[in-house]
Amino acid sequence: MNETRWLDAREMAAWTAFLDASHRVFRSVEQQLKDDAGLSHPQYEILVKLGAAGAAGIRMTELAESLITSKSGLTYQIGQLEKRGLVTRGACPTDVRGVTARLTESGRAALTEAAPGHVARVREALIDVLDRDQLDTLAQALGRVSDRLRDG
Amino acid sequence: MNETRWLDAREMAAWTAFLDASHRVFRSVEQQLKDDAGLSHPQYEILVKLGAAGAAGIRMTELAESLITSKSGLTYQIGQLEKRGLVTRGACPTDVRGVTARLTESGRAALTEAAPGHVARVREALIDVLDRDQLDTLAQALGRVSDRLRDG
DNA sequence: GGCTGGTTGTTCAAATTGGAATCACCGGCT
DNA sequence: AGCCGGTGATTCCAATTTGAACAACCAGCC
């Protein structure tokens, strides 16, 4: 049983800033999307991924992993979006069990409509607050963090 | 209506890394706490704040703000922790309406027990993955982001 | 062919969350 | 003292989240 290596001032500052900023940024983004587009952030992210996937759509499991959410949670949200006509479910060509989600025309329109306000808020909350070097360091550092956790 | 300033590659990289790392780090931390201490991350954060507050305790509203959560959510979680005997509610000396939450002995013990494993996971997921400069930049950049959102 | 371990997506129950409504109280003002 | 807008905390409700259980199916191997 090793002795605990507590966080020093520098490390604690980084951790609390990360915690605090994450909570605040997500809260801010959530608010904007809800108010201006009637979408939750998870829902918006689904639309973005589906938008990028094109006509072929994406498998549920793959989508869940890319969104870093649970499969059951995704099933629920896709259900919600399907009810609103923004998304359709289709059979997967290569696997009978598989389900592919696709954006409808209406869904693509909703995304197009929601995107500008969302980007503006992301700039306001995070991007435009940082300078070029900070952006690069952030991308590199947190990219590394993500990669480690994805593999580990 | 201004034209939308979309995110360029650098900005998009920072945003997606931030999104991705946040989801993954929180998920990892949540998992560790649940498995090893039977606490959710929000609950652990409550214990930490109460631990820092000492015998005087903290007012509910102040605690909610410092945790960046809703008041109703905090009421619920404090209720859960109270059931387990980790926290007590007391009257506020200066305001009859006020409620101050305090850590019990048992709560302090639970915190002491949970802390090492939690810190280890935070290191593993975030801190030890970064070098000194990255930590400093992260703290400075995200600190700035937090401050802006807190005031705005 | 038939078995077996792993995968896919959904369903289920339980826990959590946030916002609106509510009730009691504070503090300044008349 | 009495009024009034604002604050503190809880309650209530609807929406969401997660993991476990489940049923159907894939793929490699005997």
Side-chain angles (χ1 to χ4, degrees), chain A residues 28 65 80 136:
Chain A
S28 174
E65 280 168 6
Q80 296 298 306
D136 284 341

mmCIF file of all heavy atoms in Angstrom, chain A residues 28 65 80 136:
data_model
loop_
_atom_site.group_PDB
_atom_site.id
_atom_site.type_symbol
_atom_site.label_atom_id
_atom_site.label_comp_id
_atom_site.label_asym_id
_atom_site.label_seq_id
_atom_site.Cartn_x
_atom_site.Cartn_y
_atom_site.Cartn_z
ATOM 1 N N SER A 28 -23.793 26.240 -19.494
ATOM 2 C CA SER A 28 -24.051 27.373 -20.370
ATOM 3 C C SER A 28 -24.530 26.906 -21.747
ATOM 4 O O SER A 28 -25.496 27.434 -22.307
ATOM 5 C CB SER A 28 -22.775 28.203 -20.507
ATOM 6 O OG SER A 28 -22.938 29.226 -21.448
ATOM 7 N N GLU A 65 -20.590 4.880 -28.401
ATOM 8 C CA GLU A 65 -19.183 4.991 -28.015
ATOM 9 C C GLU A 65 -18.616 6.358 -28.381
ATOM 10 O O GLU A 65 -17.877 6.961 -27.613
ATOM 11 C CB GLU A 65 -18.367 3.889 -28.686
ATOM 12 C CG GLU A 65 -18.504 2.564 -27.959
ATOM 13 C CD GLU A 65 -17.948 1.412 -28.774
ATOM 14 O OE1 GLU A 65 -17.367 1.654 -29.846
ATOM 15 O OE2 GLU A 65 -18.112 0.249 -28.328
ATOM 16 N N GLN A 80 -36.543 9.693 -28.617
ATOM 17 C CA GLN A 80 -37.084 11.048 -28.516
ATOM 18 C C GLN A 80 -36.976 11.787 -29.840
ATOM 19 O O GLN A 80 -37.931 12.419 -30.293
ATOM 20 C CB GLN A 80 -36.323 11.848 -27.438
ATOM 21 C CG GLN A 80 -36.479 11.296 -26.031
ATOM 22 C CD GLN A 80 -37.920 11.324 -25.585
ATOM 23 O OE1 GLN A 80 -38.575 12.351 -25.620
ATOM 24 N NE2 GLN A 80 -38.426 10.163 -25.191
ATOM 25 N N ASP A 136 -4.045 25.624 -28.428
ATOM 26 C CA ASP A 136 -3.212 24.502 -28.870
ATOM 27 C C ASP A 136 -2.847 23.589 -27.712
ATOM 28 O O ASP A 136 -2.914 22.365 -27.822
ATOM 29 C CB ASP A 136 -1.939 25.032 -29.540
ATOM 30 C CG ASP A 136 -2.227 25.553 -30.936
ATOM 31 O OD1 ASP A 136 -3.282 25.183 -31.497
ATOM 32 O OD2 ASP A 136 -1.416 26.326 -31.463
#
